[in-house]
Amino acid sequence: MTTYKQTMPRIMLGASVLLGTFLMMLGPADIARAQQKGKGGKQGTPTEKPLTNAEVHILKVQGNIYMIVGPGGNTALQIGDQGALVVDTQYEEVSDKIVAEIRKLTSKPIRYVINTSADPDHTGGNAKISRAGAPVIGGNLGAVAFENGATIVAHENVLRAMNAAAEGQAVSNPDMLPTTTYFQGQKEIFFNEEPVLVMFQPAAHTNGDSMVFFRRSDVIATGDIFNMDSFPVINVDKGGNIQGVIKALNLVLDITVPKHEQEGGTYVIPGHGRLTDEHDVLEYRDMITIIRDRVQNMIKKGMTLAQVRAAKPTLEYDGRYGSTTGSWTTDMFVEAVFRSLSEKK
Amino acid sequence: MGIVNPAKLSGHLILLCSALMTGPAFAQLDLSGTWNPQYQEDQPERIPGPELVDYLGIPINAAARQWALSWDPDRLGAPEHQCQVHTAAYIYRGPLQLRIWEERDPETQELVAIRQYTSTYEQNRTIYMDGRPHPPEYAAHTWMGFSTGKWEGNILTVYTTHIKQGWHRRNGIPSSDRITLVEHFIRHDNHLTHVSVVTDPVYLTEPLIKSEDYVLNNNSGGNWLWPCEYVEELPGADRTKVPSYMPGENPFLHEFADRWRIPVDAALGGAETMYPEYSKKLKAGAK
């Protein structure tokens, strides 16, 4: 398929005028990205291999929205006359496959990438997928003149997390970094004839989580605040807290409206796992709240983390969401809940 | 042209008719009509409803037991729970009218699907008969799930996946969203028997097998509407709270067991309590 880039004439522009205009538009995120470029940063890669053979599948949700399922966190895709908007980019190894799935649906440029967190399984494909598109500001022209990709939107703390590198260690690929960040409340975008709300969820999975609500299509992409294949990953060391997760889940319940008998209506794309609706979120919220209340009760009784674990506060949910192996075990989840409730802020 | 032997011809015709009537390809019965359940089987559970902490006869595991014991019925008062309905694996036990009809390809008249409407909660169900595959694992789940059917002789056998989380018994025993359901619809004249086999890798140690009977009812006026709309049952209540009992603190633990003078262990269910041998064990323990 011929892309818009190939069809654009390679015009050499009056660079000084346009460059000045672009520099005036740069926000802190862009500046940080430029600084990273200056450092000659090395691309960050996921630790689990191999991913190149992983399959990628696409599922129509409703309205303008699709869900792309692959080895990383779920990707939400919005398409329309203005182009494509991508929420979370999984791993770099499957970027070409994700772009190929998008190209089956539209030949229009990818204009936005939104990250729900800084996790590598949600941001790993940022660079390639952004590069496959072009920003709204500057548009196709800017993409050719300055090699700008699609705008990457995230909370400021995502940029900070991705930009952070210990002394002497390689930093993230600057092309992966968010180019537009927001600090509080929500970032609003009107794209493809619908409001897209990027809503900050403080201290939940991490300290930089966003949920994305497609208001006309009536679909929410939650990121890792809500996972259908595990207990929620709560990274306490990165500002996560179970109270924030519950607050975010309750917000989802406030937004969602079932179509009939607590089914359908608003659909929810979780960070991982199958497509869901309000009832699925409800059962998950109930579970997390019950576990929170139990652990809180045990802490009040003076129980230690070891004693809490031994009491198995997650027993009835372990068969569905628990794990004794892998990167997020039930023990780790219980510890995160315990720390969320017992450590002083 | 030879002479046709009438006796031989009639014999062939009889054989042909028999083949048409009994061969697998022509053995499909028509289940269409409105069916009313008979409640003589398991009536206390199906009509007044099961008592609290009565898990007898359900092959639950320890996880299901803890889930059920922590379940506070007040949870159903939460707005988001009020319109929660029964799954395909449970609804046939309830008070309902079951209407069944066929959907046929207008060009070929081949059977595409068997459709059902259960009056309670206005639930529509489609059983695809055209051999289509089930959706991928990452597709959404529904109360009725995704069903495909086939005729096995005169029995309609249905396989269902993608069912939402619900309950195996409506007193808190959970059913997971990973259940699979195999059903058999068996018609004998104006009598319909429904047999279901539920497999739940999360909450059951053995398949849960149930049956119900229906009779044909030519008066289908009982197919009422039930468009559920939640109300605030407790104005001002904190909607973020989830009513539940702490482990070991269910206040109704002994209620059912004491009333029927059985050990609490029996009331707490499990596969063992499904079988007749268990009553012998109880009698032996009582001596």
Side-chain angles (χ1 to χ4, degrees):
Chain A
M1 180 182 292
T2 305
T3 67
Y4 68 96
K5 277 187 175 176
Q6 290 168 321
T7 58
M8 279 293 295
R10 300 273 176 179
I11 304 168
M12 296 304 292
L13 300 167
S16 59
V17 175
L18 272 178
L19 182 60
T21 307
F22 267 70
L23 286 174
M24 288 170 69
M25 294 176 178
L26 290 178
D30 303 287
I31 293 167
R33 189 182 190 190
Q35 287 171 343
Q36 284 296 348
K37 280 185 176 176
K39 290 178 188 174
K42 184 180 165 186
Q43 183 169 324
T45 54
T47 53
E48 292 180 10
K49 303 283 183 174
L51 294 166
T52 47
N53 295 328
E55 292 186 9
V56 169
H57 303 280
I58 194 161
L59 178 74
K60 176 76 186 276
V61 180
Q62 64 184 5
N64 295 332
I65 310 302
Y66 296 77
M67 180 170 102
I68 300 176
V69 180
N74 288 328
T75 296
L77 168 68
Q78 183 224 37
I79 58 172
D81 289 344
Q82 288 182 279
L85 181 153
V86 178
V87 180
D88 288 339
T89 56
Q90 306 202 22
Y91 293 115
E92 184 192 22
E93 285 85 341
V94 291
S95 294
D96 291 339
K97 292 177 182 174
I98 290 174
V99 172
E101 291 295 332
I102 296 170
R103 288 288 163 251
K104 289 178 187 172
L105 298 170
T106 180
S107 61
K108 299 202 170 182
I110 299 165
R111 294 296 195 185
Y112 289 101
V113 168
I114 300 173
N115 289 143
T116 59
S117 73
D119 290 2
D121 59 332
H122 291 257
T123 60
N126 274 9
K128 272 193 170 181
I129 292 175
S130 169
R131 283 273 166 242
V136 172
I137 297 174
N140 301 349
L141 200 58
V144 173
F146 302 103
E147 297 184 346
N148 286 330
T151 301
I152 304 176
V153 179
H155 187 269
E156 172 70 9
N157 288 341
V158 171
L159 174 66
R160 287 181 181 165
M162 293 177 71
N163 204 28
E167 190 68 32
Q169 287 191 1
V171 296
S172 298
N173 177 358
D175 287 346
M176 294 173 66
L177 299 177
T179 56
T180 296
T181 61
Y182 71 107
F183 291 80
Q184 56 191 341
Q186 64 188 24
K187 166 91 175 163
E188 299 171 356
I189 302 168
F190 195 91
F191 192 62
N192 287 328
E193 291 300 312
E194 76 172 322
V196 181
L197 308 181
V198 187
M199 303 180 293
F200 179 44
Q201 304 304 306
H205 157 60
T206 64
N207 66 352
D209 302 305
S210 296
M211 295 196 298
V212 183
F213 178 32
F214 299 95
R215 209 160 73 179
R216 182 185 288 266
S217 296
D218 204 12
V219 176
I220 305 172
T222 65
D224 277 358
I225 286 163
F226 172 46
N227 290 329
M228 275 306 280
D229 59 6
S230 74
F231 291 119
V233 178
I234 303 170
N235 196 328
V236 179
D237 291 329
K238 291 184 177 176
N241 193 293
I242 190 170
Q243 304 286 31
V245 170
I246 292 172
K247 194 173 179 184
L249 292 169
N250 282 318
L251 175 62
V252 175
L253 294 179
D254 284 342
I255 293 172
T256 49
V257 180
K259 180 180 178 183
H260 180 70
E261 313 291 19
Q262 197 57 29
E263 181 178 282
T266 311
Y267 278 95
V268 182
I269 299 174
H272 295 261
R274 67 171 173 82
L275 182 63
T276 65
D277 61 14
E278 184 182 77
H279 182 74
D280 301 302
V281 179
L282 176 67
E283 294 288 1
Y284 197 84
R285 186 286 305 262
D286 286 0
M287 169 181 74
I288 302 303
T289 304
I290 288 168
I291 293 169
R292 186 270 316 266
D293 291 349
R294 284 180 186 169
V295 174
Q296 184 79 73
N297 192 45
M298 292 172 186
I299 290 171
K300 279 183 186 169
K301 290 179 178 174
M303 292 170 70
T304 64
L305 172 59
Q307 289 169 325
V308 170
R309 278 178 173 154
K312 299 186 183 302
T314 61
L315 173 66
E316 64 264 57
Y317 307 108
D318 289 348
R320 177 63 179 82
Y321 297 102
S323 175
T324 55
T325 59
S327 59
W328 188 243
T329 64
T330 303
D331 274 353
M332 293 164 75
F333 170 64
V334 172
E335 181 177 348
V337 177
F338 185 89
R339 287 181 60 195
S340 293
L341 301 172
S342 59
E343 290 181 359
K344 290 182 179 175
K345 309 294 181 294
Chain B
M1 190 173 179
I3 300 170
V4 177
N5 182 337
K8 208 171 185 179
L9 177 62
S10 63
H12 287 155
L13 282 173
I14 290 166
L15 273 176
L16 179 63
C17 289
S18 301
L20 288 171
M21 290 170 69
T22 59
F26 299 95
Q28 302 168 5
L29 289 179
D30 189 354
L31 303 179
S32 299
T34 297
W35 300 87
N36 280 97
Q38 304 296 290
Y39 299 111
Q40 67 267 39
E41 188 178 10
D42 298 330
Q43 192 271 350
E45 176 183 345
R46 295 171 62 186
I47 302 302
E51 296 183 48
L52 293 172
V53 196
D54 166 15
Y55 312 148
L56 260 172
I58 310 287
I60 56 174
N61 60 18
R65 192 170 294 113
Q66 175 151 311
W67 207 106
L69 286 171
S70 80
W71 183 76
D72 182 338
D74 279 353
R75 205 178 299 174
L76 294 176
E80 294 88 355
H81 276 296
Q82 286 176 28
C83 295
Q84 174 177 351
V85 299
H86 302 305
T87 69
Y90 190 92
I91 184 63
Y92 295 92
R93 302 234 98 188
L96 74 159
Q97 277 207 330
L98 171 66
R99 189 167 69 230
I100 302 176
W101 69 100
E102 293 182 343
E103 178 183 327
R104 291 189 174 268
D105 185 300
E107 303 299 327
T108 66
Q109 288 302 305
E110 286 182 358
L111 186 61
V112 175
I114 293 174
R115 294 190 181 273
Q116 297 185 353
Y117 174 84
T118 50
S119 58
T120 312
Y121 314 119
E122 295 184 322
Q123 292 185 281
N124 282 283
R125 185 178 185 198
T126 302
I127 300 164
Y128 291 104
M129 302 294 291
D130 56 1
R132 71 183 65 191
H134 282 239
E137 184 274 331
Y138 45 85
H141 288 208
T142 62
W143 300 116
M144 293 289 100
F146 187 92
S147 301
T148 51
K150 63 179 178 181
W151 288 100
E152 294 179 324
N154 284 338
I155 298 173
L156 173 64
T157 296
V158 181
Y159 175 62
T160 304
T161 58
H162 293 76
I163 300 174
K164 277 186 177 297
Q165 179 178 334
W167 42 67
H168 290 303
R169 182 173 277 173
R170 57 188 163 107
N171 59 359
I173 298 179
S175 66
S176 79
D177 65 347
R178 291 184 173 167
I179 64 170
T180 51
L181 172 65
V182 175
E183 298 162 276
H184 305 287
F185 290 87
I186 308 155
R187 179 172 185 169
H188 304 277
D189 194 19
N190 290 339
H191 199 101
L192 181 68
T193 298
H194 173 251
V195 178
S196 64
V197 182
V198 185
T199 302
D200 187 343
V202 179
Y203 290 125
L204 297 181
T205 59
E206 294 182 23
L208 175 60
I209 304 170
K210 296 176 291 188
S211 63
E212 303 86 28
D213 289 296
Y214 294 80
V215 292
L216 192 63
N217 176 9
N218 290 326
N219 178 7
S220 63
N223 282 307
W224 65 83
L225 299 176
W226 195 309
C228 180
E229 190 175 297
Y230 77 84
V231 295
E232 280 195 64
E233 293 187 350
L234 292 170
D238 183 353
R239 291 177 62 166
T240 67
K241 288 198 170 179
V242 180
S244 68
Y245 302 120
M246 291 291 164
E249 296 182 11
N250 188 310
F252 303 103
L253 179 63
H254 294 271
E255 190 176 76
F256 170 78
D258 289 351
R259 177 173 165 170
W260 296 100
R261 297 177 185 174
I262 59 172
V264 170
D265 281 352
L268 292 178
E272 190 183 19
T273 66
M274 291 195 300
Y275 298 105
E277 292 77 15
Y278 190 69
S279 62
K280 293 176 187 170
K281 182 180 174 182
L282 286 181
K283 285 174 185 170
K287 288 176 184 173

